[in-house]
Amino acid sequence: MLITIITFILVFGLIVLVHEFGHYYFAVRAGILVREFSIGMGPKVWWRRGKNGTTFTVRILPVGGYVRFAGDDDDDEEYLRPGSTVSITLNDNQLVKTIDVNQNNQLLQGIPVQVVDHDLTDDLFIAGYVNGDESEVKRFSVDHDAVIVEPDGTSVRIAPRDVLFQSASLGHRMLTNFAGPLNNFILSLVVFVILGFTLPGIPTGSNRLGNVQSAGPAARAGLVTGDRIISVDHHRVENWQELSQQVSAKPGKLVKVTYEHGNRKKTVSLKTTTATVNKQKVGRIGIEEELSKSPAARVKYGWNAFVQSGTLIFSVLGHMVTHGFNLNDFGGPVAMYAGTSQATHYGVNGVLAFLAALSINLGIVNLLPIPALDGGKLLLNIVEAIIRRPIPEKVEVVVTLIGFTILLLLMILVTYNDIQRYFVH
């Protein structure tokens, strides 16, 4: 269980880190201030503010994470409502450089101010009564790069107009919204390619033989590694799938096999053995598929696995559309944990395969046009491009809130269903 828990934290944490870094990277490139980059949820256990103004935090619950763009929240308005008391410090130019709203930890040498008015977006000022003197309202200009110390002690930059998410061009906002899922796709492809390099070899799919079992019918008939079977009972075979089908269909029977050995063509008769697969008898002659160890084959394997995994997810989504909604088609953190537990039984390769599949899964799901998901945000961007004007902020907030509520209810239902599936029954 301990190994599963550690693996789950590492796998899920890596996927979230890569996803959020995509949003972060393209936001910074677009001139958008990322106020906070958090790994985990809940109370913070560590934080540092970077040179570009982003506060990096690690939070106690190792599930999820987020980037907080300037303009994404109204926390500053809540902290600095009229009547609230804050502590400020000034820089050498007498501009406010720090606003501490944490009442339990006032700044050393800070000036206590009871807020009367403020604007940290355009005019950049804070006004109020100093040291409880209500006879005069003092106004302080705020530095563009000033920071706010939030109630939990986290220090983040203020959000002036020029660094707001909404102030970036539509193209930059779309790219920033798409970058998270894009990074999940890149991670999935890279891990699948790495997986290809960890395997002993990559099946070529050809009709050329790899390992020939020494005691099997093929070896007794004289076939060796490198021979190419061209027909079975006069049925021509062009690849491994056709070869496997012809042999499997003849359990315990005498068959004629024509093959090429070097430049010579030979025909031998041999009797297949019988094996049971999925309660059906199939024929075997003791041969294995040819494996390639070339870098090109390994990279191709990674790409094919990536495409197949994505195709499978789209098939599941298509099935949901055509056959109706079913909670068993979804999986939340409980299902991910159960999947991690299964993957750990197959060692490193099992974990890598699970990581790659989960990453592309989350990337595709995040692109669904549901408000509160990246796909929903992209849909609003597309609407904005069509109507050629920004969507009213109130409309966007309401739509996002509705989407978030639906997702929250769905997550509760999915989690309950997962618990019933994996731990009750």
Side-chain angles (χ1 to χ4, degrees), residues 222-273:
L223 279 77
V224 297
T225 298
D227 289 347
R228 187 167 68 90
I229 295 180
I230 56 180
S231 69
V232 177
D233 276 349
H234 307 294
H235 292 281
R236 188 167 184 83
V237 293
E238 302 287 348
N239 51 53
W240 183 261
Q241 182 179 2
E242 293 177 356
L243 170 59
S244 179
Q245 288 174 346
Q246 288 297 323
V247 173
S248 296
K250 301 174 175 62
K253 293 184 179 179
L254 191 67
V255 296
K256 285 188 176 181
V257 174
T258 300
Y259 66 100
E260 290 181 351
H261 179 81
N263 295 323
R264 293 185 297 169
K265 183 181 294 186
K266 297 182 178 181
T267 299
V268 295
S269 294
L270 52 84
K271 186 176 182 181
T272 66
T273 59

Side-chain angles (χ1 to χ4, degrees), residues 123-334:
D123 294 336
L124 302 183
F125 76 91
I126 183 170
Y129 305 121
V130 177
N131 289 318
D133 181 4
E134 298 187 4
S135 65
E136 179 185 7
V137 175
K138 288 191 175 182
R139 177 184 171 114
F140 299 88
S141 295
V142 179
D143 187 83
H144 181 277
D145 296 335
V147 299
I148 292 182
V149 181
E150 297 181 325
D152 67 352
T154 304
S155 176
V156 297
R157 279 262 305 270
I158 64 172
R161 177 76 60 187
D162 61 305
V163 295
L164 295 180
F165 181 83
Q166 296 86 343
S167 297
S169 68
L170 177 60
H172 280 133
R173 281 183 280 134
M174 292 184 73
L175 187 56
T176 300
N177 286 329
F178 179 68
L182 173 63
N183 264 21
N184 282 137
F185 300 148
I186 294 174
L187 173 63
S188 177
L189 178 58
V190 169
V191 174
F192 271 129
V193 171
I194 291 174
L195 183 61
F197 278 88
T198 67
L199 299 175
I202 307 301
T204 63
S206 74
N207 54 355
R208 191 176 300 278
L209 302 185
N211 180 52
V212 178
Q213 297 174 7
S214 58
R220 292 197 299 270
L223 279 77
V224 297
T225 298
D227 289 347
R228 187 167 68 90
I229 295 180
I230 56 180
S231 69
V232 177
D233 276 349
H234 307 294
H235 292 281
R236 188 167 184 83
V237 293
E238 302 287 348
N239 51 53
W240 183 261
Q241 182 179 2
E242 293 177 356
L243 170 59
S244 179
Q245 288 174 346
Q246 288 297 323
V247 173
S248 296
K250 301 174 175 62
K253 293 184 179 179
L254 191 67
V255 296
K256 285 188 176 181
V257 174
T258 300
Y259 66 100
E260 290 181 351
H261 179 81
N263 295 323
R264 293 185 297 169
K265 183 181 294 186
K266 297 182 178 181
T267 299
V268 295
S269 294
L270 52 84
K271 186 176 182 181
T272 66
T273 59
T274 301
T276 301
V277 178
N278 295 328
K279 299 181 179 180
Q280 290 186 342
K281 293 182 178 181
V282 295
R284 292 285 188 265
I285 60 174
I287 58 174
E288 296 177 10
E289 192 172 358
E290 180 187 43
L291 301 179
S292 173
K293 297 184 179 181
S294 72
R298 297 179 186 277
V299 172
K300 184 179 179 181
Y301 168 86
W303 171 256
N304 289 339
F306 172 76
V307 172
Q308 290 170 4
S309 185
T311 302
L312 176 61
I313 296 167
F314 279 114
S315 298
V316 172
L317 292 174
H319 182 272
M320 290 170 57
V321 173
T322 57
H323 292 78
F325 177 87
N326 190 327
L327 280 178
N328 289 328
D329 292 330
F330 295 88
V334 175

Side-chain angles (χ1 to χ4, degrees), residues 56-186:
F56 299 90
T57 59
V58 176
R59 297 185 177 271
I60 195 167
L61 299 176
V63 286
Y66 58 86
V67 290
R68 177 156 51 123
F69 300 125
D72 260 4
D73 54 62
D74 296 318
D75 288 347
D76 296 351
E77 300 297 324
E78 177 66 23
Y79 301 151
L80 300 175
R81 64 187 183 277
S84 60
T85 299
V86 301
S87 178
I88 65 173
T89 59
L90 308 179
N91 61 20
D92 293 339
N93 296 320
Q94 297 303 297
L95 298 176
V96 175
K97 66 176 182 179
T98 307
I99 305 171
D100 189 350
V101 303
N102 184 356
Q103 300 299 316
N104 298 322
N105 184 30
Q106 293 294 313
L107 294 168
L108 292 175
Q109 300 180 342
I111 303 171
V113 176
Q114 184 180 350
V115 178
V116 172
D117 193 12
H118 75 281
D119 183 352
L120 301 183
T121 302
D122 296 306
D123 294 336
L124 302 183
F125 76 91
I126 183 170
Y129 305 121
V130 177
N131 289 318
D133 181 4
E134 298 187 4
S135 65
E136 179 185 7
V137 175
K138 288 191 175 182
R139 177 184 171 114
F140 299 88
S141 295
V142 179
D143 187 83
H144 181 277
D145 296 335
V147 299
I148 292 182
V149 181
E150 297 181 325
D152 67 352
T154 304
S155 176
V156 297
R157 279 262 305 270
I158 64 172
R161 177 76 60 187
D162 61 305
V163 295
L164 295 180
F165 181 83
Q166 296 86 343
S167 297
S169 68
L170 177 60
H172 280 133
R173 281 183 280 134
M174 292 184 73
L175 187 56
T176 300
N177 286 329
F178 179 68
L182 173 63
N183 264 21
N184 282 137
F185 300 148
I186 294 174

Side-chain angles (χ1 to χ4, degrees), residues 331-409:
V334 175
M336 293 178 192
Y337 177 83
T340 304
S341 179
Q342 295 176 0
T344 55
H345 289 300
Y346 296 95
V348 174
N349 282 0
V351 173
L352 288 175
F354 178 70
L355 167 61
L358 185 58
S359 185
I360 189 174
N361 189 311
L362 292 179
I364 291 174
V365 169
N366 259 289
L367 284 178
L368 294 177
I370 299 174
L373 293 180
D374 294 325
K377 296 174 184 178
L378 284 168
L379 180 61
L380 292 176
N381 293 150
I382 294 172
V383 172
E384 180 179 338
I386 293 173
I387 65 177
R388 297 185 178 181
R389 65 177 183 275
I391 297 174
E393 185 177 349
K394 290 183 178 179
V395 173
E396 188 170 345
V397 169
V398 170
V399 170
T400 302
L401 182 60
I402 293 173
F404 179 78
T405 302
I406 293 173
L407 285 177
L408 181 60
L409 291 174

